[in-house]
């Protein structure tokens, strides 16, 4: 369905989904926060009027009290609180420093990062760490949890997550509860599958680690990736 066939109050949401948040005007963003307009105005038209009253300035809008916002036809207490809450979130976000992402520059650093999650387990689990082009961690998660001997990873789920995170590289890892770090044939097979799939999607498999309580095996360090 095209945007022009949607109700005025629904268009900003649909535009958000179809074209992304950066495509929305200030009025459309404010309209999404409010959710609806009034009998005479769509949410976007009401948002335009509110913003015009403060010179299109978010800082000045944030100075309005709940009572001030409620003076606009179509803005009740609930909408006014939603607007004020959204602006307060923006203020707090601006005041915070961007957290520094952990960088995994080697197999040893990847081991230290994953050891708390995998080192002491009694059953085998398969994890992945998704990184950007500077090897800084974007996301990490458990993909499978198996029996005492092995677990199998779904390569499709692995790369679906990688693409969702805009990752350019992946570390994969699993534990051997027995303590034996020697890779099995299944381990080698999974490594090959992930590496080949990554080449097609331009997402590099940086390393595959096998982890126990005290040490690890690195496919990359051993030259068999």
């Amino acid at each position: 369905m095209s945007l022009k066939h949607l109700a005025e109050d629904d268009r900003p949401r649909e535009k958000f989904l179809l074209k992304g948040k950066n495509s929305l005007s200030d009025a459309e963003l404010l309209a999404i926060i409010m959710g609806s307009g009034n009998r005479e105005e769509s949410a976007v038209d009401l948002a335009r009027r509110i913003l015009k009253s403060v010179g299109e300035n978010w800082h000045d809008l944030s100075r309005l009290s709940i009572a001030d916002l409620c003076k606009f036809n179509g803005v009740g207490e609930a909408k006014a609180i939603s607007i004020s809450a959204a602006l307060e979130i923006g203020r707090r976000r601006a005041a915070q420093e961007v957290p520094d992402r952990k960088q995994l520059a080697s197999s040893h650093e990847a081991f230290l990062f994953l050891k708390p999650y995998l080192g002491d387990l009694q059953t085998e689990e398969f994890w992945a760490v998704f990184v950007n082009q500077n090897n800084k961690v974007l996301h990490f998660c458990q993909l499978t949890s198996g029996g005492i001997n092995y677990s199998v990873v779904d390569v499709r789920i692995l790369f679906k997550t990688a693409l969702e995170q805009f990752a350019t590289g992946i570390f994969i890892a699993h534990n051997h509860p027995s303590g034996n770090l020697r890779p099995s044939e299944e381990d080698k097979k999974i490594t090959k599958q992930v590496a080949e799939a990554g080449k097609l999607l331009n997402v590099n498999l940086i390393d595959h680690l096998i982890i126990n309580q005290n040490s690890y095996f690195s496919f990359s360090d051993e030259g068999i990736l």
Side-chain angles (χ1 to χ4, degrees):
M1 183 181 292
S2 65
L3 290 174
K4 68 180 181 180
H5 292 113
L6 295 168
E8 282 284 343
D9 288 347
D10 292 330
R11 290 181 190 176
R13 298 183 186 90
E14 293 298 320
K15 186 176 177 182
F16 188 109
L17 292 173
L18 292 172
K19 297 184 177 182
K21 58 188 178 184
N22 291 331
S23 69
L24 271 64
S25 67
D26 287 355
E28 288 169 330
L29 289 170
L30 183 56
I32 289 176
I33 294 168
M34 294 192 298
S36 63
N38 54 45
R39 291 182 179 180
E40 290 78 32
E41 297 172 300
S42 68
V44 175
D45 289 334
L46 176 56
R48 288 194 187 105
R49 185 158 60 88
I50 293 171
L51 287 169
K52 186 177 179 180
S53 75
V54 292
E56 313 292 337
N57 189 295
W58 289 109
H59 294 287
D60 289 341
L61 180 60
S62 69
R63 294 192 182 99
L64 298 186
S65 67
I66 298 299
D68 291 332
L69 290 168
C70 287
K71 292 176 181 178
F72 292 93
N73 182 27
V75 178
E77 188 175 77
K79 282 184 186 177
I81 290 172
S82 294
I83 293 169
S84 292
L87 292 168
E88 176 62 14
I89 290 171
R91 185 193 68 79
R92 295 185 187 188
R93 179 180 182 273
Q96 288 180 338
E97 293 184 0
V98 177
D100 190 24
R101 297 182 185 276
K102 177 70 175 177
Q103 186 175 39
L104 306 181
S106 66
S107 61
H108 183 66
E109 289 185 359
F111 165 67
L112 294 177
F113 182 83
L114 287 163
K115 181 184 176 183
Y117 304 99
L118 287 165
D120 297 326
L121 298 179
Q122 297 303 309
T123 56
E124 191 166 311
E125 293 186 3
F126 193 103
W127 284 60
V129 181
F130 305 91
V131 299
N132 63 18
Q133 61 186 1
N134 295 317
N135 280 17
K136 291 191 174 183
V137 176
L138 300 172
H139 179 67
F140 65 98
C141 63
Q142 177 205 88
L143 292 176
T144 64
S145 178
I148 191 70
N149 295 319
Y150 67 91
S151 59
V152 179
V153 64
D154 189 328
V155 177
R156 295 169 299 177
I157 294 176
L158 173 66
F159 282 99
K160 177 178 180 292
T161 306
L163 295 175
E164 290 173 345
Q165 297 297 324
F166 298 99
T168 59
I170 305 173
F171 289 85
I172 57 175
H174 73 283
N175 62 308
H176 279 182
S178 66
N180 178 15
L181 292 175
R182 181 175 298 178
S184 66
E185 290 304 312
E186 183 69 22
D187 296 336
K188 295 176 183 178
K189 179 181 176 182
I190 290 172
T191 304
K192 184 178 179 180
Q193 287 178 342
V194 174
E196 290 179 350
K199 290 177 183 177
L200 292 174
L201 296 171
N202 201 28
V203 180
N204 181 38
L205 174 60
I206 300 170
D207 205 348
H208 181 181
L209 302 179
I210 300 172
I211 292 173
N212 65 21
Q213 279 187 317
N214 302 309
S215 190
Y216 66 97
F217 177 93
S218 163
F219 277 73
S220 180
D221 290 352
E222 297 297 325
I224 55 175
L225 184 59

